């Protein structure tokens, strides 16, 4: 399909405009799916104080409210494969858009706390669906040339979402000093983006591959005719899909019992586990709180993490092809290990001082620098690469199963970090958790060395045949 974009750019004619419009829609919806993931993920950092004033939650209650998003994400990711098959890709996106919109609107009405929590669970559910369906829909509908960069683009949109909500929440809290006014407006920001996604999804074409799966060849042909340029291309594509469906044995969950699959699944699971155990979401969720423990408040404390995170996801898009996945993961883990140690030492030197005016400038400077470099280390490596590798290593017939399971693992460990980071600091001292995360960085490097393949510059088919030929995991990417 790579040729289609080329053709549409080089040939004029009426179908050309139509083609571009649809591709634009597809990319916009993908962007919105990632953006909403980020808006809900990043919501907590600069709203926690406002939520606290309205609902009086305390540290543990705040953590639980934050983390329930992950529980919803797990359930959403678990069921999204079923939704994708039964409802279709388009209607699943509409469903996610509906949940995003209605649940942020209900939250904006500041209901009783259990209802607010249920809404956050539901938002997580929608994030779980979106994070599965959007990439799937894209890979089935968008031209191949867009497909390649989607992994990194999706991550970029997540980080933009985290950034946007961090900025809007800061300013909302500063402009509307009454928390009973500020908090609803914070939710309304998410609702606005959600409504755009909800209504926008109706205008999407259904995935031609799903239509073919359901035996609706005529409908698939209609969609392809609006996306592609000539009758020949449409017929070619229909045949390709038909062949793919025939050879896709549609492996169910039973595939995990096949040795070669189990092996690569375990690698993906551990990779996603480490993506969370290096501690990123402690920073995404609680950086303002943690900076506060070190006596730092204000815009720097509130906006440094989301800004650095977003900016350094841009170079990752190129580096992942230039330097390769594994090298980036090594660099990221090393950078994060050193900076987590530095942050821990900064907190250790602050000791038990609680009066901010008594905390000297040096540990603050060390902490701030360490956090900036740490976020750089994650954004340029583990952020996008863990997802990219998991979308590459599974054999075609088990890709859905593999990605569902690894996504669930990602959310499970994300939930663990979100739900326990602050109380861990309270129980074991502020420095302790940084050493724990530094330790996980070391373990991740050992894991990389022995088990993770370099998947740069090798076709997915070659990877698959290496896997089935019994090559060691770390050699899967060798020709
Ligand atoms: C992770 C999220 C994290 C985000 C930060 C993603 O790759 O899976 O848990 O919040 O990156 O940018």
């Amino acid at each position: 399909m790579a040729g289609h974009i080329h053709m549409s750019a080089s040939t004029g004619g009426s179908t050309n405009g139509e083609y571009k419009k649809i591709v634009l829609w597809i990319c916009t919806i993908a962007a919105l799916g990632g953006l909403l993931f980020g808006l809900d993920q990043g919501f907590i950092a600069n709203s926690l104080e406002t939520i606290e004033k309205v609902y009086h939650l305390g540290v543990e209650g705040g953590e639980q409210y934050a983390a329930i998003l992950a529980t919803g994400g797990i359930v959403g990711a678990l069921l999204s494969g079923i939704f994708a098959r039964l409802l279709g890709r388009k209607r699943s996106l509409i469903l996610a858009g509906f949940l995003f919109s209605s649940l942020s609107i209900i939250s904006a009405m500041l209901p009783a706390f259990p209802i607010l929590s249920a809404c956050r669970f539901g938002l997580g559910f929608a994030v779980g669906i979106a994070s599965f369906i959007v990439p799937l829909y894209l890979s089935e509908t968008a031209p191949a040339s867009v497909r390649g960069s989607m992994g990194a683009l999706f991550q970029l949109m997540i980080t933009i979402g985290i950034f946007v909500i961090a900025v809007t929440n800061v300013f909302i809290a500063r402009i509307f000093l009454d928390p009973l006014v500020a908090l609803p407006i914070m939710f309304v920001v998410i609702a606005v983006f959600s409504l755009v996604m909800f209504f926008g999804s109706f205008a999407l074409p259904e995935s031609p591959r799903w239509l073919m799966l359901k035996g609706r060849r005529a409908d698939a042909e209609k969609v392809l005719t609006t996306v592609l340029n000539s009758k020949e291309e449409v017929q070619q594509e229909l045949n390709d899909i038909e062949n793919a469906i025939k050879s896709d044995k549609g492996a169910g969950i039973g595939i995990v019992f096949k040795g070669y699959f189990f092996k690569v699944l375990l690698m993906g699971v551990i990779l996603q586990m480490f993506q969370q155990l290096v501690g990123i979401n402690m920073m995404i969720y609680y950086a303002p709180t943690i900076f506060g423990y070190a006596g730092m408040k204000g815009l720097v404390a509130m906006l440094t993490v989301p800004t650095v995170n977003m900016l350094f996801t841009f170079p990752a898009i190129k580096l992942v092809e230039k330097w390769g996945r594994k090298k980036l993961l090594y660099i990221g883990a090393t950078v994060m290990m050193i900076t987590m140690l530095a942050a821990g030492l900064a907190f250790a030197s602050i000791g038990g001082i609680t009066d901010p005016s008594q905390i000297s400038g040096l540990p603050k400077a060390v902490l701030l620098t360490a956090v900036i470099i740490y976020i750089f280390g994650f954004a340029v490596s583990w952020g996008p690469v863990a997802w990219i590798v998991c979308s590459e290593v599974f054999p075609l017939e088990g890709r859905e199963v593999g990605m569902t399971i690894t996504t669930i693992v990602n959310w499970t460990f994300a939930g663990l970090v979100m739900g326990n980071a602050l109380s861990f600091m309270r129980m074991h001292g502020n420095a302790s958790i940084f050493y724990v995360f530094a330790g996980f960085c070391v373990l991740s490097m050992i894991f990389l060395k022995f088990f993770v393949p370099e998947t740069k510059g090798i076709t997915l088919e070659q990877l698959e045949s290496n896997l089935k030929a019994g090559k060691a995991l770390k050699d899967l990417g060798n020709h």
Side-chain angles (χ1 to χ4, degrees):
M1 273 190 30
H4 300 146
I5 258 210
H6 173 72
M7 284 193 64
S8 71
S10 55
T11 57
S14 57
T15 50
N16 195 21
E18 194 68 19
Y19 170 83
K20 283 186 178 157
K21 206 167 91 190
I22 284 183
V23 171
L24 194 70
W25 261 117
I26 292 169
C27 292
T28 309
I29 295 303
L32 284 172
L35 195 77
L36 283 164
F37 183 145
L39 291 172
D40 284 303
Q41 183 83 314
F43 185 75
I44 295 296
N46 293 334
S47 67
L48 206 53
E49 242 182 83
T50 312
I51 297 175
E52 167 64 31
K53 283 181 196 147
V54 177
Y55 285 98
H56 313 289
L57 300 177
V59 170
E60 261 121 59
E63 271 180 344
Q64 272 161 21
Y65 175 68
I68 201 168
L69 185 84
T71 318
I74 294 170
V75 183
L78 189 67
L79 296 183
S80 51
I82 299 171
F83 285 135
R85 281 249 157 164
L86 292 185
L87 293 179
R89 286 50 164 156
K90 174 176 170 170
R91 268 178 285 175
S92 302
L93 283 172
I94 295 176
L95 173 70
F98 174 75
L99 289 174
F100 278 130
S101 319
S102 53
L103 297 173
S104 357
I105 292 171
I106 297 175
S107 303
M109 294 169 182
L110 303 186
F113 186 63
I115 297 178
L116 189 82
S117 292
C119 286
R120 188 156 168 87
F121 173 87
L123 286 169
F125 186 80
V127 170
I129 297 179
S131 59
F132 184 87
I133 302 276
V134 171
L136 178 71
Y137 177 79
L138 276 167
S139 69
E140 290 182 346
T141 317
S145 48
V146 185
R147 204 153 73 200
S149 48
M150 273 307 151
L153 183 67
F154 194 60
Q155 173 72 14
L156 183 66
M157 292 312 303
I158 296 173
T159 62
I160 292 177
I162 294 174
F163 173 77
V164 167
I165 202 72
V167 174
T168 53
N169 280 358
V170 163
F171 286 102
I172 291 167
R174 291 190 170 207
I175 295 168
F176 304 96
L177 294 176
D178 180 354
L180 289 170
V181 178
L183 192 54
I185 300 178
M186 291 174 176
F187 281 116
V188 165
V189 172
I190 301 189
V192 170
F193 286 104
S194 313
L195 286 168
V196 176
M197 176 183 171
F198 175 55
F199 288 112
S201 307
F202 284 97
L204 286 172
E206 179 51 277
S207 145
R209 191 170 189 280
W210 182 77
L211 290 168
M212 291 289 281
L213 265 175
K214 294 279 152 184
R216 291 164 56 184
R217 193 185 168 97
D219 290 332
E221 190 168 346
K222 238 188 251 160
V223 174
L224 288 172
T225 310
T226 51
V227 177
L228 304 179
N229 284 318
S230 69
K231 270 205 152 59
E232 295 77 60
E233 283 177 338
V234 172
Q235 286 314 318
Q236 177 69 42
E237 185 67 21
L238 282 173
N239 291 342
D240 284 354
I241 297 177
E242 210 156 49
N243 289 336
I245 290 175
K246 266 190 223 144
S247 64
D248 174 2
K249 286 158 219 97
I253 188 79
I255 193 171
V256 302
F257 298 112
K258 292 198 177 151
Y260 68 87
F261 188 82
F262 184 74
K263 186 165 95 169
V264 81
L265 178 65
L266 205 59
M267 193 277 290
V269 160
I270 298 177
L271 195 69
Q272 288 287 29
M273 182 188 90
F274 277 127
Q275 199 226 25
Q276 293 300 326
L277 288 182
V278 297
I280 182 63
N281 280 312
M282 173 174 77
M283 289 302 168
I284 299 288
Y285 273 65
Y286 306 122
T289 312
I290 291 170
F291 281 129
Y293 292 163
M296 287 187 274
K297 290 216 176 297
L299 288 184
V300 171
M302 299 175 112
L303 295 180
T304 300
V305 166
T307 310
V308 177
N309 188 35
M310 178 184 66
L311 290 181
F312 285 101
T313 304
F314 284 97
I317 297 173
K318 276 218 163 136
L319 290 179
V320 76
E321 296 301 351
K322 210 167 142 193
W323 291 359
R325 284 69 161 147
K326 201 165 167 173
K327 198 167 187 183
L328 277 184
L329 292 174
Y330 268 126
I331 296 174
T334 312
V335 168
M336 290 190 286
M337 178 200 65
I338 296 171
T339 48
M340 281 275 124
L341 278 179
L345 290 173
F347 265 113
S349 80
I350 293 172
I353 307 173
T354 45
D355 176 3
S357 64
Q358 299 294 310
I359 301 175
S360 73
L362 185 66
K364 288 184 194 172
V366 171
L367 181 67
L368 185 62
T369 316
V371 168
I372 291 174
I373 304 176
Y374 167 86
I375 295 293
F376 152 78
F378 178 86
V380 84
S381 65
W382 285 78
V385 176
W387 293 106
I388 291 175
V389 171
C390 285
S391 74
E392 293 174 327
V393 288
F394 295 112
L396 184 64
E397 76 265 26
R399 200 161 291 159
E400 286 185 14
V401 174
M403 289 179 69
T404 304
I405 296 178
T406 48
T407 303
I408 290 172
V409 168
N410 181 285
W411 279 108
T412 306
F413 284 89
L416 263 175
V417 172
M418 298 164 191
N420 297 292
L422 292 181
S423 25
F424 190 94
M425 289 174 85
R426 245 196 1 196
M427 269 162 57
H428 303 283
N430 285 345
S432 59
I433 194 142
F434 296 94
Y435 300 143
V436 172
F437 290 139
F440 281 121
C441 291
V442 176
L443 292 179
S444 79
M445 284 189 261
I446 299 172
F447 167 70
L448 284 176
K449 176 156 173 51
F450 292 107
F451 300 108
V452 177
E454 174 56 71
T455 52
K456 175 193 136 185
I458 177 164
T459 65
L460 298 188
E461 289 70 29
Q462 181 74 50
L463 267 174
E464 185 166 337
S465 80
N466 284 349
L467 179 69
K468 290 183 175 164
K471 275 202 177 178
L473 278 171
K474 71 174 182 7
D475 300 326
L476 283 186
N478 301 350
H479 290 277

